mmCIF file of all heavy atoms in Angstrom:
data_model
loop_
_atom_site.group_PDB
_atom_site.id
_atom_site.type_symbol
_atom_site.label_atom_id
_atom_site.label_comp_id
_atom_site.label_asym_id
_atom_site.label_seq_id
_atom_site.Cartn_x
_atom_site.Cartn_y
_atom_site.Cartn_z
ATOM 1 N N ILE A 1 -85.556 -147.849 35.938
ATOM 2 C CA ILE A 1 -84.990 -147.416 34.590
ATOM 3 C C ILE A 1 -84.010 -146.408 34.619
ATOM 4 O O ILE A 1 -84.100 -145.436 35.441
ATOM 5 C CB ILE A 1 -86.292 -147.024 33.779
ATOM 6 C CG1 ILE A 1 -85.843 -147.010 32.244
ATOM 7 C CG2 ILE A 1 -86.878 -145.744 34.214
ATOM 8 C CD1 ILE A 1 -87.018 -146.923 31.264
ATOM 9 N N SER A 2 -82.982 -146.640 33.806
ATOM 10 C CA SER A 2 -81.876 -145.814 33.820
ATOM 11 C C SER A 2 -82.248 -144.366 33.371
ATOM 12 O O SER A 2 -83.229 -144.126 32.710
ATOM 13 C CB SER A 2 -80.909 -146.308 32.748
ATOM 14 O OG SER A 2 -79.860 -145.392 32.342
ATOM 15 N N ARG A 3 -81.288 -143.407 33.695
ATOM 16 C CA ARG A 3 -81.550 -142.034 33.195
ATOM 17 C C ARG A 3 -81.173 -142.260 31.662
ATOM 18 O O ARG A 3 -80.462 -143.199 31.203
ATOM 19 C CB ARG A 3 -80.560 -141.163 33.744
ATOM 20 C CG ARG A 3 -79.023 -141.451 33.574
ATOM 21 C CD ARG A 3 -78.153 -140.406 34.287
ATOM 22 N NE ARG A 3 -76.787 -140.602 34.137
ATOM 23 C CZ ARG A 3 -76.053 -141.307 35.002
ATOM 24 N NH1 ARG A 3 -76.537 -141.867 35.967
ATOM 25 N NH2 ARG A 3 -74.699 -141.547 34.663
ATOM 26 N N SER A 4 -81.515 -141.244 30.905
ATOM 27 C CA SER A 4 -81.288 -141.271 29.352
ATOM 28 C C SER A 4 -80.935 -139.868 28.901
ATOM 29 O O SER A 4 -81.200 -138.967 29.574
ATOM 30 C CB SER A 4 -82.380 -141.949 28.705
ATOM 31 O OG SER A 4 -83.511 -141.234 28.909
ATOM 32 N N GLY A 5 -80.544 -139.831 27.576
ATOM 33 C CA GLY A 5 -80.408 -138.457 26.989
ATOM 34 C C GLY A 5 -78.919 -138.128 26.951
ATOM 35 O O GLY A 5 -78.565 -137.050 26.244
ATOM 36 N N ASP A 6 -77.990 -138.710 27.686
ATOM 37 C CA ASP A 6 -76.649 -138.272 27.758
ATOM 38 C C ASP A 6 -75.843 -139.428 27.307
ATOM 39 O O ASP A 6 -74.574 -139.405 27.541
ATOM 40 C CB ASP A 6 -76.313 -137.758 29.102
ATOM 41 C CG ASP A 6 -76.350 -138.840 30.126
ATOM 42 O OD1 ASP A 6 -76.988 -139.916 29.881
ATOM 43 O OD2 ASP A 6 -75.939 -138.564 31.359
ATOM 44 N N GLY A 7 -76.302 -140.456 26.616
ATOM 45 C CA GLY A 7 -75.448 -141.536 26.235
ATOM 46 C C GLY A 7 -75.148 -142.451 27.276
ATOM 47 O O GLY A 7 -74.327 -143.376 26.852
ATOM 48 N N THR A 8 -75.668 -142.476 28.416
ATOM 49 C CA THR A 8 -75.273 -143.429 29.490
ATOM 50 C C THR A 8 -76.464 -144.403 29.872
ATOM 51 O O THR A 8 -76.382 -144.878 30.919
ATOM 52 C CB THR A 8 -74.786 -142.579 30.756
ATOM 53 O OG1 THR A 8 -76.085 -141.821 31.212
ATOM 54 C CG2 THR A 8 -73.760 -141.725 30.457
ATOM 55 N N TYR A 9 -77.326 -144.583 28.994
ATOM 56 C CA TYR A 9 -78.545 -145.484 29.391
ATOM 57 C C TYR A 9 -77.970 -146.871 29.582
ATOM 58 O O TYR A 9 -77.153 -147.445 28.942
ATOM 59 C CB TYR A 9 -79.422 -145.458 28.206
ATOM 60 C CG TYR A 9 -80.689 -146.341 28.288
ATOM 61 C CD1 TYR A 9 -81.637 -145.875 29.230
ATOM 62 C CD2 TYR A 9 -80.820 -147.565 27.784
ATOM 63 C CE1 TYR A 9 -82.833 -146.678 29.426
ATOM 64 C CE2 TYR A 9 -81.919 -148.426 28.128
ATOM 65 C CZ TYR A 9 -82.913 -147.830 28.773
ATOM 66 O OH TYR A 9 -83.963 -148.680 29.108
ATOM 67 N N PHE A 10 -78.464 -147.386 30.804
ATOM 68 C CA PHE A 10 -77.880 -148.710 31.180
ATOM 69 C C PHE A 10 -79.096 -149.806 31.347
ATOM 70 O O PHE A 10 -78.822 -150.892 31.894
ATOM 71 C CB PHE A 10 -77.046 -148.730 32.368
ATOM 72 C CG PHE A 10 -77.577 -147.936 33.659
ATOM 73 C CD1 PHE A 10 -78.507 -148.614 34.436
ATOM 74 C CD2 PHE A 10 -77.167 -146.645 33.831
ATOM 75 C CE1 PHE A 10 -79.067 -147.830 35.496
ATOM 76 C CE2 PHE A 10 -77.719 -145.967 34.881
ATOM 77 C CZ PHE A 10 -78.712 -146.490 35.731
ATOM 78 N N GLY A 11 -80.369 -149.450 30.904
ATOM 79 C CA GLY A 11 -81.423 -150.287 30.805
ATOM 80 C C GLY A 11 -82.353 -150.325 32.071
ATOM 81 O O GLY A 11 -82.456 -149.225 32.754
ATOM 82 N N THR A 12 -82.931 -151.412 32.313
ATOM 83 C CA THR A 12 -83.938 -151.532 33.378
ATOM 84 C C THR A 12 -83.646 -152.669 34.342
ATOM 85 O O THR A 12 -82.760 -153.400 34.046
ATOM 86 C CB THR A 12 -85.452 -151.867 32.727
ATOM 87 O OG1 THR A 12 -85.316 -153.052 31.882
ATOM 88 C CG2 THR A 12 -85.825 -150.731 31.734
ATOM 89 N N SER A 13 -84.389 -152.567 35.366
ATOM 90 C CA SER A 13 -84.301 -153.685 36.341
ATOM 91 C C SER A 13 -85.599 -154.037 37.023
ATOM 92 O O SER A 13 -86.420 -153.066 37.063
ATOM 93 C CB SER A 13 -83.209 -153.345 37.403
ATOM 94 O OG SER A 13 -83.080 -154.382 38.429
ATOM 95 N N TYR A 14 -85.808 -155.169 37.297
ATOM 96 C CA TYR A 14 -87.153 -155.561 37.912
ATOM 97 C C TYR A 14 -86.897 -156.530 39.107
ATOM 98 O O TYR A 14 -85.948 -157.285 39.140
ATOM 99 C CB TYR A 14 -88.022 -156.405 36.825
ATOM 100 C CG TYR A 14 -88.419 -155.521 35.640
ATOM 101 C CD1 TYR A 14 -87.677 -155.488 34.488
ATOM 102 C CD2 TYR A 14 -89.619 -154.749 35.637
ATOM 103 C CE1 TYR A 14 -88.016 -154.757 33.438
ATOM 104 C CE2 TYR A 14 -89.900 -153.959 34.692
ATOM 105 C CZ TYR A 14 -89.248 -153.957 33.533
ATOM 106 O OH TYR A 14 -89.540 -153.203 32.436
ATOM 107 N N ALA A 15 -87.771 -156.451 39.980
ATOM 108 C CA ALA A 15 -87.739 -157.406 41.083
ATOM 109 C C ALA A 15 -88.228 -158.811 40.606
ATOM 110 O O ALA A 15 -88.859 -158.925 39.587
ATOM 111 C CB ALA A 15 -88.876 -157.033 42.197
ATOM 112 N N ASP A 16 -87.733 -159.824 41.240
ATOM 113 C CA ASP A 16 -88.048 -161.147 40.859
ATOM 114 C C ASP A 16 -89.430 -161.486 40.841
ATOM 115 O O ASP A 16 -90.047 -162.195 39.893
ATOM 116 C CB ASP A 16 -87.300 -162.197 41.878
ATOM 117 C CG ASP A 16 -85.757 -162.131 41.647
ATOM 118 O OD1 ASP A 16 -85.339 -161.575 40.602
ATOM 119 O OD2 ASP A 16 -85.078 -162.637 42.535
ATOM 120 N N PHE A 17 -90.184 -160.836 41.676
ATOM 121 C CA PHE A 17 -91.673 -161.273 41.763
ATOM 122 C C PHE A 17 -92.452 -160.664 40.575
ATOM 123 O O PHE A 17 -93.615 -161.132 40.416
ATOM 124 C CB PHE A 17 -92.294 -160.898 43.056
ATOM 125 C CG PHE A 17 -92.286 -159.212 43.289
ATOM 126 C CD1 PHE A 17 -93.137 -158.453 42.606
ATOM 127 C CD2 PHE A 17 -91.424 -158.820 44.193
ATOM 128 C CE1 PHE A 17 -93.177 -157.140 42.851
ATOM 129 C CE2 PHE A 17 -91.357 -157.337 44.419
ATOM 130 C CZ PHE A 17 -92.277 -156.558 43.669
ATOM 131 N N VAL A 18 -91.834 -159.807 39.855
ATOM 132 C CA VAL A 18 -92.525 -159.248 38.626
ATOM 133 C C VAL A 18 -92.709 -160.245 37.656
ATOM 134 O O VAL A 18 -93.831 -160.321 37.190
ATOM 135 C CB VAL A 18 -91.741 -158.063 37.996
ATOM 136 C CG1 VAL A 18 -92.338 -157.682 36.811
ATOM 137 C CG2 VAL A 18 -91.827 -156.896 39.188
ATOM 138 N N SER A 19 -91.753 -161.213 37.421
ATOM 139 C CA SER A 19 -91.880 -162.361 36.572
ATOM 140 C C SER A 19 -92.474 -161.982 35.180
ATOM 141 O O SER A 19 -93.338 -162.702 34.645
ATOM 142 C CB SER A 19 -92.624 -163.430 37.204
ATOM 143 O OG SER A 19 -92.158 -163.851 38.473
ATOM 144 N N GLY A 20 -91.983 -160.949 34.520
ATOM 145 C CA GLY A 20 -92.458 -160.553 33.269
ATOM 146 C C GLY A 20 -93.774 -159.975 33.155
ATOM 147 O O GLY A 20 -94.241 -159.559 32.087
ATOM 148 N N ARG A 21 -94.477 -159.674 34.312
ATOM 149 C CA ARG A 21 -95.802 -159.116 34.267
ATOM 150 C C ARG A 21 -95.812 -157.519 34.186
ATOM 151 O O ARG A 21 -96.795 -156.929 33.631
ATOM 152 C CB ARG A 21 -96.552 -159.494 35.562
ATOM 153 C CG ARG A 21 -96.654 -161.017 35.736
ATOM 154 C CD ARG A 21 -97.387 -161.327 37.033
ATOM 155 N NE ARG A 21 -96.695 -160.826 38.221
ATOM 156 C CZ ARG A 21 -97.149 -160.063 39.143
ATOM 157 N NH1 ARG A 21 -98.501 -159.793 39.007
ATOM 158 N NH2 ARG A 21 -96.407 -159.747 40.250
ATOM 159 N N PHE A 22 -94.728 -156.915 34.670
ATOM 160 C CA PHE A 22 -94.761 -155.414 34.676
ATOM 161 C C PHE A 22 -93.676 -154.942 33.655
ATOM 162 O O PHE A 22 -92.680 -155.575 33.401
ATOM 163 C CB PHE A 22 -94.341 -154.882 35.989
ATOM 164 C CG PHE A 22 -95.268 -155.291 37.266
ATOM 165 C CD1 PHE A 22 -95.010 -154.903 38.495
ATOM 166 C CD2 PHE A 22 -96.486 -155.898 36.873
ATOM 167 C CE1 PHE A 22 -95.835 -155.220 39.575
ATOM 168 C CE2 PHE A 22 -97.359 -156.253 37.993
ATOM 169 C CZ PHE A 22 -96.936 -155.932 39.242
ATOM 170 N N THR A 23 -93.881 -153.707 33.175
ATOM 171 C CA THR A 23 -92.978 -153.013 32.218
ATOM 172 C C THR A 23 -92.886 -151.641 32.703
ATOM 173 O O THR A 23 -93.898 -150.895 32.735
ATOM 174 C CB THR A 23 -93.424 -153.078 30.789
ATOM 175 O OG1 THR A 23 -93.587 -154.496 30.379
ATOM 176 C CG2 THR A 23 -92.441 -152.469 29.878
ATOM 177 N N ILE A 24 -91.672 -151.214 32.840
ATOM 178 C CA ILE A 24 -91.307 -149.721 33.225
ATOM 179 C C ILE A 24 -90.855 -149.026 31.900
ATOM 180 O O ILE A 24 -90.107 -149.687 31.089
ATOM 181 C CB ILE A 24 -90.306 -149.616 34.370
ATOM 182 C CG1 ILE A 24 -90.179 -148.176 34.803
ATOM 183 C CG2 ILE A 24 -88.948 -150.344 33.946
ATOM 184 C CD1 ILE A 24 -89.317 -147.958 36.029
ATOM 185 N N SER A 25 -91.285 -147.850 31.757
ATOM 186 C CA SER A 25 -90.837 -147.125 30.671
ATOM 187 C C SER A 25 -90.835 -145.617 30.978
ATOM 188 O O SER A 25 -91.451 -145.218 31.998
ATOM 189 C CB SER A 25 -91.832 -147.353 29.391
ATOM 190 O OG SER A 25 -93.148 -146.849 29.722
ATOM 191 N N ARG A 26 -90.325 -144.800 30.100
ATOM 192 C CA ARG A 26 -90.160 -143.385 30.390
ATOM 193 C C ARG A 26 -90.442 -142.632 29.144
ATOM 194 O O ARG A 26 -90.019 -143.146 28.021
ATOM 195 C CB ARG A 26 -88.967 -142.908 31.082
ATOM 196 C CG ARG A 26 -87.649 -143.204 30.291
ATOM 197 C CD ARG A 26 -86.358 -142.935 31.090
ATOM 198 N NE ARG A 26 -86.340 -141.647 31.663
ATOM 199 C CZ ARG A 26 -85.625 -141.272 32.635
ATOM 200 N NH1 ARG A 26 -84.856 -142.146 33.281
ATOM 201 N NH2 ARG A 26 -85.627 -139.938 33.074
ATOM 202 N N ASP A 27 -90.983 -141.448 29.223
ATOM 203 C CA ASP A 27 -90.995 -140.477 28.147
ATOM 204 C C ASP A 27 -90.569 -139.118 28.585
ATOM 205 O O ASP A 27 -91.203 -138.399 29.340
ATOM 206 C CB ASP A 27 -92.551 -140.348 27.695
ATOM 207 C CG ASP A 27 -92.922 -139.532 26.521
ATOM 208 O OD1 ASP A 27 -91.935 -138.586 26.174
ATOM 209 O OD2 ASP A 27 -93.957 -139.589 25.892
ATOM 210 N N ASN A 28 -89.336 -138.913 28.153
ATOM 211 C CA ASN A 28 -88.649 -137.700 28.632
ATOM 212 C C ASN A 28 -89.379 -136.415 28.101
ATOM 213 O O ASN A 28 -89.272 -135.435 28.804
ATOM 214 C CB ASN A 28 -87.150 -137.824 28.166
ATOM 215 C CG ASN A 28 -86.327 -138.793 28.903
ATOM 216 O OD1 ASN A 28 -86.805 -139.220 29.981
ATOM 217 N ND2 ASN A 28 -85.432 -139.294 28.413
ATOM 218 N N ALA A 29 -90.004 -136.506 26.973
ATOM 219 C CA ALA A 29 -90.709 -135.325 26.499
ATOM 220 C C ALA A 29 -91.914 -134.871 27.257
ATOM 221 O O ALA A 29 -92.224 -133.768 27.357
ATOM 222 C CB ALA A 29 -91.217 -135.630 25.042
ATOM 223 N N LYS A 30 -92.421 -135.929 27.964
ATOM 224 C CA LYS A 30 -93.475 -135.632 28.888
ATOM 225 C C LYS A 30 -93.122 -135.658 30.369
ATOM 226 O O LYS A 30 -93.917 -135.545 31.381
ATOM 227 C CB LYS A 30 -94.586 -136.746 28.710
ATOM 228 C CG LYS A 30 -95.283 -136.683 27.228
ATOM 229 C CD LYS A 30 -96.305 -137.778 27.089
ATOM 230 C CE LYS A 30 -96.878 -137.535 25.747
ATOM 231 N NZ LYS A 30 -98.045 -138.704 25.555
ATOM 232 N N ASN A 31 -91.869 -135.821 30.607
ATOM 233 C CA ASN A 31 -91.300 -135.934 32.049
ATOM 234 C C ASN A 31 -92.128 -136.893 32.875
ATOM 235 O O ASN A 31 -92.500 -136.664 34.007
ATOM 236 C CB ASN A 31 -91.541 -134.494 32.701
ATOM 237 C CG ASN A 31 -90.365 -133.544 32.369
ATOM 238 O OD1 ASN A 31 -89.635 -133.829 31.376
ATOM 239 N ND2 ASN A 31 -90.205 -132.531 33.082
ATOM 240 N N THR A 32 -92.359 -137.991 32.224
ATOM 241 C CA THR A 32 -93.249 -139.044 32.939
ATOM 242 C C THR A 32 -92.556 -140.333 32.719
ATOM 243 O O THR A 32 -91.922 -140.837 31.720
ATOM 244 C CB THR A 32 -94.539 -139.091 32.232
ATOM 245 O OG1 THR A 32 -95.214 -137.767 32.394
ATOM 246 C CG2 THR A 32 -95.570 -140.106 32.844
ATOM 247 N N VAL A 33 -92.849 -141.188 33.869
ATOM 248 C CA VAL A 33 -92.336 -142.631 33.886
ATOM 249 C C VAL A 33 -93.625 -143.500 34.149
ATOM 250 O O VAL A 33 -94.465 -142.994 34.855
ATOM 251 C CB VAL A 33 -91.305 -142.888 34.835
ATOM 252 C CG1 VAL A 33 -91.787 -142.580 36.341
ATOM 253 C CG2 VAL A 33 -90.784 -144.263 34.841
#
């Protein structure tokens, strides 16, 4: 997942084997991905 907070967010990327099963997300307020 891209860095964020400075207007340069470019999204996410997944390996092909994930096939929609996994989701990455981040919470910058909690410093957690």
Side-chain angles (χ1 to χ4, degrees):
I1 188 167
S2 167
R3 64 180 183 266
S4 62
D6 61 352
T8 61
Y9 182 77
F10 52 80
T12 59
S13 181
Y14 294 93
D16 291 344
F17 63 76
V18 169
S19 300
R21 299 180 298 127
F22 298 175
T23 302
I24 188 171
S25 62
R26 66 189 300 158
D27 185 338
N28 290 337
K30 296 182 178 180
N31 280 15
T32 301
V33 64

